Amino acid sequence: MSISNGVNIWEIILSPLIALIIGIFFLGLARKIIARIHWRYGPPITQPVIDIIRMFSQKGISHGFIFDIGIILSLTGSFIVILFLPLGKMCPLSSGGLLAILYLMLLAPLGIALSSGEAANPNSSIGISRKFLLALGYEVPLLLILLAVMTHYNTISLIEIVRIQSTTGWSFGSLPLLLSGIAYFLILPAILGIRPFEVVGAAQEISSGPNAEFGGKFLAFSTIQHALHEFIGISLFVNLFLGGWGLFGILEPITNTVWSVIFGIIIFFIKMLIVFIVELFINAVFPRFRIEQAVRYLWKWPTLFAFIGLIVVVVVK
Amino acid sequence: MKSLKKKLESSFDNIRVDITKDNRLTITIKKDGIISILSFLKKLGYEHLALISCVDWIEENEFELVYILSAYMENDKEYTEKEKRSIIIKTRISREKAEFMTIINIFENAEPYERELHELFGINFEGHPRLTPLFLEREYEIPPFRKDFDTRKYVKDVFDKIPTIEEREKNENH
Amino acid sequence: MDRNQLKKWFKSPAKMGHKYSLHVIYFCTGCGIIEIPPSITTRWDAERFGIIPVATPRQANLFLITGYVSVKTLKPIIRTYEQMPDPKFTVGFGSCPINGGMYWDSYNTIKHLDKYIPIDGWIAGCMPRPEAIFIAVTHLWTLIDKEMADGYKKYRENYKYYRANQEQLYGKLEWPPLFAGKDKK
């Protein structure tokens, strides 16, 4: 079944669903692994699902119209970004490529900001201001990295970038893009909002920040949005630098079949899992930056790497 | 400490100075002399007001105010743990007319202590900028730390008088 | 523990969700709070039952009052309780909130906490050990199963009387009634 210009309706339904499952699985996995690092038994891996069921059954307290709309806006924003991201070989919306993703990624924090601003909790306001400062911190290197990648592959289409990687090898392994890859890996904790960049939702400092006034179904939406956000951050890294669905030409014999799509998703998931677990270890052992330290760090090393990477790419070309 | 004792006895009248322990001095003085002795000791290097406390001597009908000062440095040299000195200054004021002058001009950190004493003992400190409640939410007829405050009677009258929800429901429906 | 029985999950997801995802807000009034860190960290690990501390009352569904309650701290307790979304459960920890404990004749400690907010369960002892918290949690599971942990419903129905008790203690409260005009009968 397909609509006019090659948009597959199954992909539009399946892609966000798989992203949601992977995101929530990552939340549960994070709690379990961190518990094991603490020498605890830890919650069951389905704990986020239980939490979300519990939150939906609790009565949410609304603070006004904008409060309701903001969280929906942020959730919608995250779902739309996922439609633009290749998930294995599935990519429901491909026009616009990286520029569209970059533009739409701003919707999610904006929605949360609207919502928390309406709640008028001082902790939420501090959290929101920190969120935007942190975004300002990692957007600069992120733009430089994307510019380097786009210059190197001479295209803005993410699908095209992944396809070229499947023939020429991963960009993380290619010499010109190595520095950009390292820079992206360094800012990935900031994008995911985990330690050492857990300044936004710091429960001990500012009562979980933007989430401070969310209860009931609003908190459930916020948790789902968080799961999707984690998915977006990691899958962008996997698509840009780890070759997306490509794995040493393993899918060559079964190209253009349903199996290639399914195995593409599985390979993609395994790559994401490895990146996520490495990030989790960083999260488990590091303390938290203060916001000005975080921004100073982000504007120093990752930006430096990204800038040199861009110059290298231009010179090599 | 002995030289300090001599110095104090020579420069103040109506004063009793005891050395209760090594490095600890207890001064008992009439209430007029408090301001002068505190500023005298502050100049000597006893710059830290550790506590203001109060004892209720109900038989003698008097409050005893206790000021505790200590010194940590002498001539820019820090004392070791054994050399640290403290001075306890005691004075008595009347219980009926519980009024005294504030010592904020000498030690600024006396402000919360005096507020606390005002709240718990009902001593009025003249010249204190804000004698507002510090800890307590309710108003007490007799300040609660005075010896003639009957806590058991108070608890019976206030907290035990509040009925449980079932009792209140029964009372209002009949 | 029936956390893995899928049949029950499909039958009553809300009840099971509340049982195995207790997000706790601790009200650290007295000495009781020293028993909380061991119970949520490595030694006793409350998280394996889905019990984690949260930072704000909006996200919580269990309210644990650990220690004596003075007249001044009762006000934040009432406000925190009223900010939590329904359904919510309360547990009084230690003997002080039950009947005053060692502060039974203190001039500034309210003796019976359940005169001011509804309490679903008590943990007796001075101090109860962390194991007692887990026993309390298993009891709370039974109560939730039998729908007997209905303090929040009781508060809504008898709000008039709770408010009257609060006002008898304070004289006048600064905040308006939570359920305006919703009386029983």
Side-chain angles (χ1 to χ4, degrees):
Chain A
M1 205 201 311
S2 63
I3 329 170
S4 56
N5 45 4
V7 177
N8 194 328
I9 199 140
W10 287 113
E11 287 185 353
I12 288 187
I13 296 168
L14 272 180
S15 171
L17 204 65
I18 294 170
L20 186 62
I21 291 169
I22 292 177
I24 288 175
F25 172 74
F26 278 175
L27 286 187
L29 191 72
R31 283 174 70 171
K32 189 84 182 171
I33 288 180
I34 286 174
R36 284 300 166 91
I37 291 172
H38 291 173
W39 284 50
R40 290 188 280 126
Y41 182 73
I45 217 154
T46 50
Q47 188 62 44
V49 184
I50 301 178
D51 286 353
I52 286 170
I53 291 173
R54 193 270 294 175
M55 287 161 194
F56 272 120
S57 73
Q58 223 170 353
K59 206 175 136 198
I61 292 161
S62 175
H63 292 269
F65 181 64
I66 301 292
F67 186 81
D68 305 352
I69 288 295
I71 187 75
I72 299 291
L73 177 70
S74 99
L75 201 58
T76 322
S78 298
F79 273 122
I80 293 175
V81 175
I82 282 166
L83 294 182
F84 279 91
L85 278 171
L87 170 64
K89 280 192 170 178
M90 284 192 336
C91 184
L93 304 173
S94 52
S95 57
L98 277 172
L99 294 182
I101 290 170
L102 205 60
Y103 176 67
L104 289 168
M105 264 171 84
L106 272 178
L107 267 182
L110 208 64
I112 294 270
L114 273 179
S115 201
S116 305
E118 183 78 3
N121 187 317
N123 285 325
S124 306
S125 314
I126 298 170
I128 286 301
S129 77
R130 284 182 179 193
K131 196 178 184 110
F132 279 108
L133 266 176
L134 193 66
L136 198 68
Y138 69 69
E139 285 283 323
V140 175
L142 184 64
L143 283 176
L144 289 171
I145 291 162
L146 293 185
L147 206 57
V149 173
M150 288 189 281
T151 319
H152 185 256
Y153 290 112
N154 219 355
T155 172
I156 61 161
S157 162
L158 204 47
I159 299 181
E160 198 68 11
I161 290 172
V162 174
R163 201 184 50 75
I164 298 171
Q165 282 183 60
S166 72
T167 54
T168 61
W170 301 357
S171 25
F172 203 64
S174 73
L175 216 50
L177 280 178
L178 178 65
L179 278 175
S180 304
I182 291 171
Y184 196 106
F185 190 77
L186 290 179
I187 64 168
L188 193 51
I191 295 175
L192 301 184
I194 56 180
R195 277 190 291 266
F197 298 99
E198 200 199 12
V199 282
V200 178
Q204 295 86 350
E205 282 172 41
I206 49 170
S207 319
S208 69
N211 283 354
E213 279 293 321
F214 290 172
K217 57 179 182 285
F218 300 103
L219 188 60
F221 286 143
S222 166
T223 312
I224 291 172
Q225 196 272 330
H226 183 65
L228 294 177
H229 188 74
E230 262 180 19
F231 176 85
I232 292 168
I234 301 172
S235 74
L236 195 61
F237 180 67
V238 172
N239 273 322
L240 282 177
F241 293 102
L242 297 185
W245 46 266
L247 189 72
F248 312 118
I250 222 171
L251 297 180
E252 290 283 310
I254 48 169
T255 327
N256 297 327
T257 58
V258 184
W259 292 107
S260 82
V261 176
I262 292 171
F263 280 109
I265 290 171
I266 291 171
I267 291 168
F268 191 77
F269 170 69
I270 291 169
K271 283 179 183 175
M272 280 182 71
L273 194 64
I274 291 164
V275 175
F276 183 66
I277 287 175
V278 173
E279 291 292 340
L280 258 188
F281 289 151
I282 295 173
N283 174 31
V285 296
F286 272 90
R288 188 159 52 223
F289 274 143
R290 289 209 308 272
I291 180 70
E292 72 269 16
Q293 289 169 330
V295 173
R296 198 178 299 147
Y297 167 81
L298 286 169
W299 280 357
K300 202 190 269 172
W301 296 110
T303 313
L304 191 70
F305 278 133
F307 192 67
I308 296 172
L310 180 63
I311 291 171
V312 167
V313 165
V314 171
V315 168
V316 166
K317 209 163 165 83
Chain B
M1 281 325 248
K2 274 183 187 153
S3 63
L4 181 67
K5 183 181 171 182
K6 265 181 200 152
K7 210 173 177 184
L8 280 167
E9 277 170 344
S10 63
S11 49
F12 288 95
D13 310 332
N14 283 330
I15 189 170
R16 216 182 85 218
V17 184
D18 305 306
I19 298 180
T20 36
K21 243 185 190 179
D22 299 350
N23 298 327
R24 187 179 293 174
L25 217 63
T26 309
I27 303 170
T28 317
I29 194 172
K30 284 266 165 58
K31 65 176 179 179
D32 329 331
I34 279 287
I35 300 274
S36 53
I37 200 168
L38 282 176
S39 37
F40 178 80
L41 286 169
K42 194 183 180 185
K43 267 177 214 147
L44 282 183
Y46 291 86
E47 286 177 336
H48 178 211
L49 174 72
L51 185 69
I52 306 176
S53 176
C54 181
V55 184
D56 186 0
W57 298 100
I58 192 162
E59 288 94 1
E60 292 150 45
N61 210 6
E62 272 175 337
F63 281 131
E64 186 176 61
L65 285 174
V66 184
Y67 295 81
I68 301 175
L69 302 184
S70 38
Y72 299 100
M73 310 254 282
E74 191 175 40
N75 301 332
D76 297 336
K77 198 178 133 279
E78 250 183 70
Y79 288 132
T80 59
E81 195 61 41
K82 277 188 180 168
E83 289 171 347
K84 264 183 198 168
R85 294 168 176 191
S86 53
I87 297 186
I88 299 167
I89 302 149
K90 293 179 178 173
T91 186
R92 295 219 171 184
I93 58 171
S94 142
R95 206 164 169 283
E96 259 88 58
K97 198 163 166 286
E99 275 182 359
F100 199 58
M101 59 211 103
T102 178
I103 57 155
I104 292 183
N105 304 326
I106 306 164
F107 292 104
E108 265 186 51
N109 66 331
E111 198 241 357
Y113 297 128
E114 290 183 351
R115 259 175 95 184
E116 186 189 352
L117 290 184
H118 171 72
E119 187 168 44
L120 298 176
F121 287 94
I123 301 170
N124 199 17
F125 288 92
E126 260 170 58
H128 192 285
R130 44 165 193 171
L131 284 173
T132 47
L134 184 64
F135 297 123
L136 304 178
E137 281 279 313
R138 296 178 56 83
E139 305 231 323
Y140 296 84
E141 272 178 33
I142 305 168
F145 271 29
R146 289 197 183 192
K147 281 273 164 66
D148 51 356
F149 177 82
D150 190 349
T151 46
R152 251 174 239 189
K153 187 166 164 293
Y154 182 80
V155 166
K156 257 183 201 145
D157 286 350
V158 177
F159 300 121
D160 290 351
K161 278 274 170 63
I162 294 177
T164 61
I165 297 304
E166 289 78 19
E167 279 167 15
R168 188 174 275 275
E169 197 176 354
K170 213 193 274 173
N171 292 344
E172 296 211 353
N173 289 344
H174 293 292
Chain C
M1 192 155 68
D2 51 358
R3 183 162 59 191
N4 294 331
Q5 296 176 15
L6 273 182
K7 214 201 266 173
K8 283 194 179 173
W9 275 101
F10 284 112
K11 212 171 144 197
S12 53
K15 206 189 274 177
M16 293 295 279
H18 276 285
K19 272 172 76 176
Y20 296 113
S21 158
L22 288 170
H23 286 199
V24 193
I25 180 148
Y26 297 108
F27 203 93
C28 337
T29 51
C31 38
I33 196 61
I34 30 171
E35 300 297 325
I36 302 303
S39 73
I40 59 176
T41 50
T42 314
R43 181 69 193 272
W44 275 282
D45 186 22
E47 202 183 355
R48 65 203 148 119
F49 303 116
I51 303 165
I52 53 168
V54 287
T56 70
R58 295 271 186 228
Q59 305 172 1
N61 64 345
L62 176 60
F63 191 20
L64 198 60
I65 295 136
T66 56
Y68 66 87
V69 182
S70 74
V71 176
K72 201 168 192 170
T73 45
L74 181 64
K75 260 186 199 178
I77 285 179
I78 296 168
R79 302 215 72 169
T80 310
Y81 181 73
E82 289 181 354
Q83 277 179 43
M84 285 165 66
D86 289 350
K88 52 194 168 187
F89 315 110
T90 20
V91 171
F93 180 90
S95 44
C96 299
I98 300 177
N99 60 0
M102 60 187 279
Y103 299 99
W104 65 280
D105 66 344
S106 165
Y107 62 97
N108 201 26
T109 310
I110 61 137
K111 282 165 67 180
H112 304 276
L113 183 58
D114 56 349
K115 286 178 181 171
Y116 308 97
I117 59 168
I119 306 286
D120 291 312
W122 303 103
I123 306 173
C126 181
M127 302 294 307
R129 285 183 54 80
E131 287 97 331
I133 299 176
F134 293 109
I135 295 172
V137 166
T138 52
H139 281 275
L140 189 62
W141 286 345
T142 337
L143 288 183
I144 294 171
D145 253 349
K146 294 177 181 165
E147 294 187 353
M148 279 161 70
D150 55 353
Y152 63 99
K153 284 181 199 159
K154 206 176 148 199
Y155 194 64
R156 188 176 282 270
E157 280 165 10
N158 298 329
Y159 183 67
K160 201 168 66 176
Y161 309 125
Y162 281 110
R163 178 86 183 177
N165 270 359
Q166 292 160 11
E167 273 172 355
Q168 188 175 340
L169 185 66
Y170 287 112
K172 196 169 174 296
L173 290 172
E174 297 107 47
W175 61 89
L178 183 62
F179 311 110
K182 269 189 194 171
D183 295 332
K184 200 184 182 184
K185 288 162 212 165

